[in-house]
């Protein structure tokens, strides 16, 4: 299988080296899998990581060159103290063994080691091995970092992973608690640090520097997107993102739609910014927001707000201000149909944000037609282009201003 096909397979890819697996030994889940399957997952993870991390981080660009000066270090006036306190409280609940595999340097490549796919052998402490008190402390960290909407959507994605386990009678590979947390750096009000949540269809990278926050890359998806049976019957996710996207394309006139729709046929998976695509070169496509009416611009901003609004309200407002400053450079592109039940892909792309929504082909829902995109499998990804995913541009500037002591 060639590199491109492997990395795009199922829309994503990522992994952990054998050394990392041995060092941080995530045995609890591996022990549930058969020896042969566990070995296969380990090998697939290793291969994906080796390929995906072969290049040093640069960031998403339109032509291979990072646009400088987009993300200055500045005070936002929005406190990050609740995030710091809950992170410290979570770490305090961990055993020495758990802490050893959960805490990394703020510069560690662990940031880039995330994957949507369920087979990936992850680092950190898993919810499946936490006590109830530890689990509640982990949710307190999410509660302090995310909005009520972001927390609910995250929990519902976890619950729908349990639904998938029910449908496939396979809780070794799918389940509500197969999600892992790592912490990069020491929680601080001055020094850079952050945390990562990583699991099937849910990945959040959360970087903190002073009162600035970068919450990308963020991946949210599900298969199925609605539980029609089982423990969490009635749970549903990503419907607003789907419906508002469809409403926006249908709000455009015929001339605008001709520019926005880059392909009318949706036959496969289209997300390009998923795992191990930190340095993807993606040119602008679709229609520019300068060609929108005032009402259409507000619809576009409301749609972007659905994704940015997974952050706590204060930090979401800071990010949306950044989005508004760059609105004239923002493009909206569409692939697929525009009818009420169509499957489609859309992309919102500006110098400071990249959002993708994709109806994917079935992977784990066996009753659905193979190779045909379905509304029951959705992937979304949010990135910060031009070098600031994982807050890396802020980190670079911080170390320019505050050089690290030389190691001897």
């Amino acid at each position: 299988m060639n590199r491109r096909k492997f990395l795009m397979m199922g829309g994503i890819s990522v992994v952990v080296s054998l050394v990392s697996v041995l060092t941080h030994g995530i045995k609890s889940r591996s022990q549930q899998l058969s020896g042969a399957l566990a070995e296969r997952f380990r090998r697939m993870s290793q291969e994906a990581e080796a390929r995906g991390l072969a290049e040093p981080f640069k960031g998403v660009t339109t032509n291979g060159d990072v646009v400088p000066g987009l993300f200055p270090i500045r005070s936002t006036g929005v406190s990050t103290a609740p995030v710091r306190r809950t992170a410290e409280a979570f770490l305090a609940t961990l055993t020495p063994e758990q802490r050893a595999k959960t805490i990394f340097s703020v510069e560690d490549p662990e940031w880039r080691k995330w994957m949507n796919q369920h087979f990936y052998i992850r680092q950190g402490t898993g919810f499946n091995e936490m006590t109830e008190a530890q689990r509640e402390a982990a949710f307190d960290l999410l509660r302090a970092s995310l909005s009520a909407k972001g927390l609910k959507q995250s929990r519902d994605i976890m619950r729908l992973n349990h639904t998938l386990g029910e449908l496939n009678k396979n809780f070794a590979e799918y389940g509500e608690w197969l999600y892992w947390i790592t912490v990069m750096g020491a929680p601080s009000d001055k020094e850079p640090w952050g945390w990562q949540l990583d699991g099937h269809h849910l990945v959040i990278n959360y970087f903190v520097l002073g009162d600035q926050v970068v919450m990308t890359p963020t991946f949210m998806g599900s298969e199925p997107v609605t539980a029609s049976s089982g423990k969490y019957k009635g749970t549903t996710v990503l419907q607003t993102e789907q419906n508002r996207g469809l409403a926006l394309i249908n709000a455009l006139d015929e001339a605008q739609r001709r520019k926005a729709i880059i392909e009318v046929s949706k036959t496969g998976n289209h997300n390009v910014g998923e795992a191990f695509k930190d340095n993807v070169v993606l040119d602008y496509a679709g229609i520019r927001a300068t060609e929108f009416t005032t009402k259409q611009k507000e619809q576009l901003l409301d749609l972007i707000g659905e994704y940015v609004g997974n952050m706590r309200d204060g930090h979401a407002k800071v990010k949306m201000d950044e989005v508004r400053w760059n609105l004239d450079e923002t493009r909206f592109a569409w692939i697929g149909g525009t009818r009420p039940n169509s499957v489609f892909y859309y992309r919102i792309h500006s110098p400071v944000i990249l959002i993708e929504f994709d109806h994917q082909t079935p992977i784990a829902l066996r009753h659905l037609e193979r190779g045909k995109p379905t509304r029951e499998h959705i992937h979304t990804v949010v990135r910060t282009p031009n070098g600031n995913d994982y807050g890396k541009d802020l980190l670079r500037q911080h170390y320019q201003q505050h050089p690290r002591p030389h190691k001897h």
Side-chain angles (χ1 to χ4, degrees):
M1 186 179 293
N2 65 37
R3 173 180 174 174
R4 177 174 172 79
K5 187 174 180 183
F6 182 88
L7 289 179
M8 291 301 292
M9 185 179 64
I12 318 182
S13 308
V14 176
V15 186
V16 194
S17 66
L18 177 58
V19 173
S20 295
V21 174
L22 292 174
T23 303
H24 299 285
I26 304 161
K27 296 177 182 176
S28 56
R29 184 180 177 213
S30 298
Q31 288 167 349
Q32 298 174 43
L33 302 169
S34 70
L37 189 60
E39 170 60 22
R40 178 167 166 254
F41 284 2
R42 184 199 61 77
R43 190 179 67 252
M44 290 168 70
S45 294
Q46 237 185 310
E47 290 170 356
E49 183 181 79
R51 290 167 176 150
L53 300 183
E55 297 176 357
F57 177 87
K58 176 186 273 189
V60 176
T61 61
T62 57
N63 61 5
D65 297 325
V66 170
V67 177
L70 291 170
F71 309 105
I73 291 179
R74 62 191 180 93
S75 175
T76 65
V78 183
S79 176
T80 55
V83 185
R84 184 181 76 250
R85 285 195 296 265
T86 51
E88 290 170 340
F90 167 68
L91 291 172
T93 69
L94 301 183
T95 66
E97 182 186 20
Q98 288 172 322
R99 286 175 66 90
K101 66 182 181 180
T102 298
I103 300 174
F104 294 79
S105 159
V106 74
E107 298 171 79
D108 199 279
E110 162 61 17
W111 277 116
R112 300 178 66 193
K113 296 177 183 178
W114 58 268
M115 182 187 265
N116 160 58
Q117 286 167 277
H118 74 280
F119 68 76
Y120 179 45
I121 300 175
R122 294 167 169 88
Q123 303 189 72
T125 297
F127 279 81
N128 60 334
E129 62 179 284
M130 293 180 193
T131 64
E132 281 300 318
Q134 289 174 332
R135 213 174 266 176
E136 191 53 38
F139 283 129
D140 282 343
L141 173 58
L142 296 185
R143 205 170 281 120
S145 305
L146 307 178
S147 64
K149 170 188 177 292
L151 178 66
K152 182 179 189 302
Q153 182 138 288
S154 298
R155 285 294 289 115
D156 285 346
I157 289 168
M158 295 168 74
R159 291 177 178 122
L160 286 165
N161 206 40
H162 175 90
T163 301
L164 186 55
E166 290 176 331
L167 293 171
N168 287 349
K169 298 179 173 59
N170 182 354
F171 289 107
E173 295 180 52
Y174 307 109
E176 182 176 2
W177 304 124
L178 295 179
Y179 295 85
W180 284 260
I181 290 182
T182 50
V183 175
M184 272 60 82
S188 168
D189 60 351
K190 294 182 180 65
E191 292 301 311
W193 70 283
W195 58 266
Q196 181 188 78
L197 174 67
D198 187 13
H200 188 215
H201 283 132
L202 179 62
V203 182
I204 299 172
N205 289 283
Y206 198 99
F207 173 86
V208 181
L209 177 61
D211 61 9
Q212 288 181 273
V213 167
V214 178
M215 199 175 93
T216 64
T218 290
F219 183 108
M220 291 187 175
S222 195
E223 183 190 24
V225 298
T226 301
S228 55
S229 63
K231 181 178 180 181
Y232 294 120
K233 182 179 179 179
T235 300
T236 189
V237 295
L238 298 165
Q239 298 304 288
T240 305
E241 293 85 344
Q242 171 183 275
N243 298 338
R244 284 194 170 182
L246 189 61
L248 179 56
I249 191 69
N250 283 314
L252 304 186
D253 65 32
E254 190 176 337
Q256 290 173 316
R257 282 166 64 138
R258 276 199 300 269
K259 292 182 179 180
I261 299 173
I262 56 177
E263 288 180 47
V264 294
S265 179
K266 166 81 166 137
T267 58
N269 300 332
H270 288 92
N271 270 8
V272 297
E274 295 187 354
F276 284 154
K277 292 303 182 82
D278 287 339
N279 297 341
V280 68
V281 177
L282 179 65
D283 201 1
Y284 290 123
I287 186 170
R288 197 164 166 162
T290 50
E291 299 185 52
F292 281 9
T293 66
T294 301
K295 185 177 179 183
Q296 289 167 343
K297 285 179 183 176
E298 285 305 314
Q299 270 188 273
L300 175 63
L301 287 167
D302 285 347
L303 179 56
I304 295 170
E306 278 300 312
Y307 296 88
V308 174
N310 287 318
M311 304 168 76
R312 285 289 282 214
D313 296 348
H315 296 295
K317 183 182 183 302
V318 170
K319 181 63 183 181
M320 287 304 295
D321 286 344
E322 195 176 86
V323 167
R324 288 175 189 274
W325 295 333
N326 289 273
L327 191 60
D328 284 355
E329 298 298 318
T330 304
R331 273 78 165 182
F332 177 64
W334 187 274
I335 294 173
T338 59
R339 296 179 181 276
N341 61 348
S342 291
V343 291
F344 51 79
Y345 161 89
Y346 66 78
R347 177 194 312 155
I348 300 166
H349 190 184
S350 89
V352 297
I353 197 164
L354 171 65
I355 295 170
E356 295 184 281
F357 175 100
D358 199 26
H359 287 126
Q360 294 257 311
T361 57
I363 298 292
L365 290 178
R366 297 166 186 165
H367 66 285
L368 297 176
E369 184 181 340
R370 302 290 94 181
K372 184 178 179 181
T374 172
R375 284 184 160 220
E376 275 303 306
H377 189 189
I378 293 174
H379 284 187
T380 70
V381 64
V382 183
R383 281 187 174 269
T384 306
N386 292 302
N388 208 31
D389 268 337
Y390 316 101
K392 284 191 177 288
D393 193 50
L394 291 178
L395 184 65
R396 176 189 61 79
Q397 294 174 72
H398 175 78
Y399 284 138
Q400 278 182 342
Q401 296 174 15
H402 308 278
R404 287 154 290 184
H406 291 294
K407 294 178 181 177
H408 298 288

